Amino acid sequence: MTTILLVAGETSGDLHGSNLARALRELEPGIRLIGTGGSHLREAGVELIHDTTEHATVGFFEVLANLGRYAALYRKLQSVLKREKPDAAVLIDSPDFNLPFAARVADHGIPVVYYIGPQLWAWRKGRIKTVKKVVRKMLVILDFEEPMYREAGVDVAFVGHPLLDAERKVDRAAFRREFGSPEVLVGLLPGSRRKQFRWLFPRMRDAAERMRKEIPGARFVTALAPAIDPALATAPGIETVVDRTPELMASADVLLVASGTATLEAAMYGTPMVVTYRLNPLTAYAFGPLVWLNTKDFALVNIVAGKRVVPELYQRKGSPENLAREALDVLRRAAEVRKDLGEVRRRMGSPGASRRAAEEVLKAARSLRTKPFGS
């Protein structure tokens, strides 16, 4: 029986990992899948040894605050490598944890397949040396990443974006009817992490209040991830939906959205948006300049487009006043923005990313384990 270890660290990795797990089972029905992640991986038949989605963090100092949890997980996974001896390990995104762990996996002679590669084009490009040393196969989901890794000597394959496999068909009219079929529906997506939500929702809430003065008939809806306490989103004039983010993304006229994978998901539905984020001030002060030296844009939707197609407002710039102003402007330019987002979707590749990734994983499990590294 083939045994594969999957290591996902946060909600998006859990989702993409679950689609990969299903594709692996289709290709090899008797396969055994173990790993870390959350409810999506569990529902896909993965034997979870640890739920990692509750304490997912972004930022150097945020990670430091969770070092105890990371150390405990690291030890647990080390014991799993020794006990289970998986045929391959699939490390999904989360490079601050997964890249160091990849070295330990390689020490055991187990091939590492890295799915959703580290964003080396944004910052910390020196990590490419670690990738080259410990990763047997890099699977990237954005088309411009493949030549970057290949030029650095990494065995890489572009499989396309797994969001296209998870796309839901949405009855936009039916969803809007739930909210009175408004002339304008504004979606608020403050993110799936609790700390992130606490930072961003108040700004989005206040931006909504300002927008309401300009568009009296608009309706405002916040999408909540299952891990978010609905009490955190209580606000006059703002309704909530739970675990229905794709429906809101597809049905809204404009979104206020936390920077991350959600921006590409919104682009997939062609919905105009304003992107915002807030890091721990220490993280932003210490590492922000390194990011901006390497890329003029931070939002994935703009990076994939190769130009700024939607506004980005970070840290202090993401004030309620600025969010409201930019959202109103995007609404006025909606047709132009939707056209640009159509090009973003094209650059995400074609459906079937999860199956293509699964094929690469099984190749690693079957043939790479016995090869000398680098052969």
Side-chain angles (χ1 to χ4, degrees):
M1 179 191 296
T2 303
T3 298
I4 305 293
L5 172 68
L6 298 99
V7 181
E10 53 185 274
T11 303
S12 62
D14 181 44
L15 174 62
H16 300 324
S18 70
N19 289 322
L20 173 63
R22 292 186 179 93
L24 286 167
R25 288 196 181 284
E26 287 177 7
L27 291 170
E28 189 174 318
I31 197 169
R32 183 179 178 221
L33 304 174
I34 58 175
T36 69
S39 59
H40 292 294
L41 278 170
R42 184 182 293 109
E43 290 166 7
V46 177
E47 301 171 35
L48 281 192
I49 60 175
H50 191 88
D51 189 327
T52 53
T53 58
E54 283 193 18
H55 303 290
T57 57
V58 169
F60 179 76
F61 293 99
E62 292 88 339
V63 170
L64 282 180
N66 286 278
L67 275 181
R69 292 192 184 97
Y70 286 149
L73 176 59
Y74 197 87
R75 290 191 297 270
K76 183 179 290 188
L77 284 170
Q78 283 272 55
S79 67
V80 168
L81 292 175
K82 295 175 184 176
R83 183 177 68 250
E84 303 292 347
K85 296 180 175 59
D87 296 283
V90 182
L91 310 185
I92 306 169
D93 204 359
S94 303
D96 287 323
F97 180 88
N98 275 334
L99 269 185
F101 180 61
R104 304 287 75 78
V105 178
D107 287 344
H108 286 267
I110 298 167
V112 173
V113 180
Y114 207 116
Y115 185 36
I116 309 178
Q119 297 172 1
L120 303 182
W121 34 265
W123 70 312
R124 292 170 66 186
K125 291 185 177 180
R127 292 181 294 179
I128 194 73
K129 295 177 182 177
T130 302
V131 170
K132 187 175 179 180
K133 184 184 294 186
V134 302
V135 174
R136 294 284 187 95
K137 191 76 175 188
M138 175 64 69
L139 305 180
V140 296
I141 62 175
L142 302 173
D143 63 352
F144 65 85
E145 294 179 307
E146 185 177 28
M148 180 195 70
Y149 276 107
R150 182 166 289 117
E151 289 168 12
V154 177
D155 188 0
V156 60
F158 169 57
V159 296
H161 207 293
L163 278 176
L164 297 174
D165 296 337
E167 183 178 5
R168 297 186 198 174
K169 291 185 178 180
V170 175
D171 188 334
R172 188 172 183 269
F175 185 86
R176 292 173 71 94
R177 279 197 297 272
E178 293 182 32
F179 302 96
S181 299
E183 181 181 348
V184 175
L185 179 62
V186 181
L188 311 183
L189 282 71
S192 59
R193 302 183 189 94
R194 293 170 187 171
K195 182 173 287 187
Q196 176 191 64
F197 192 98
R198 289 191 180 99
W199 278 349
L200 295 184
F201 178 71
R203 293 184 178 194
M204 293 184 179
R205 176 199 62 207
D206 294 346
E209 186 59 37
R210 286 165 171 78
M211 292 179 69
R212 186 176 288 109
K213 294 175 182 177
E214 300 293 328
I215 317 172
R219 298 288 287 270
F220 298 84
V221 181
T222 302
L224 299 181
I228 302 297
D229 183 354
L232 296 175
T234 301
I238 299 179
E239 296 161 277
T240 59
V241 292
V242 179
D243 203 21
R244 298 178 69 188
T245 299
E247 291 174 81
L248 179 58
M249 281 183 170
S251 304
D253 296 290
V254 66
L255 299 167
L256 302 181
V257 56
S259 184
T261 305
T263 67
L264 285 183
E265 190 172 0
M268 185 175 70
Y269 291 111
T271 306
M273 71 195 87
V274 177
V275 182
T276 187
Y277 205 79
R278 181 187 169 194
L279 285 169
N280 178 304
L282 286 174
T283 298
Y285 178 79
F287 298 103
L290 296 177
V291 175
W292 297 112
L293 282 172
N294 289 294
T295 177
K296 60 178 181 164
D297 293 317
F298 194 69
L300 282 170
V301 63
N302 289 332
I303 292 168
V304 173
K307 63 179 182 178
R308 183 162 293 194
V309 299
V310 298
E312 301 183 18
L313 298 169
Y314 296 104
Q315 301 304 101
R316 292 182 180 180
K317 291 183 180 179
S319 66
E321 295 84 0
N322 289 344
L323 288 172
R325 184 186 68 251
E326 294 290 353
L328 292 169
D329 180 63
V330 165
L331 276 171
R332 286 189 287 269
R333 300 186 293 109
E336 170 195 343
V337 174
R338 287 183 185 277
K339 182 178 178 181
D340 286 333
L341 294 177
E343 177 61 17
V344 171
R345 180 186 172 111
R346 187 193 68 77
R347 295 197 65 181
M348 291 168 67
S350 58
S354 300
R355 185 178 181 88
R356 289 189 288 271
E359 289 169 350
E360 294 288 351
V361 171
L362 291 176
K363 282 182 192 176
R366 292 166 181 164
S367 66
L368 293 183
R369 186 172 186 175
T370 57
K371 277 189 179 182
F373 191 73
S375 65

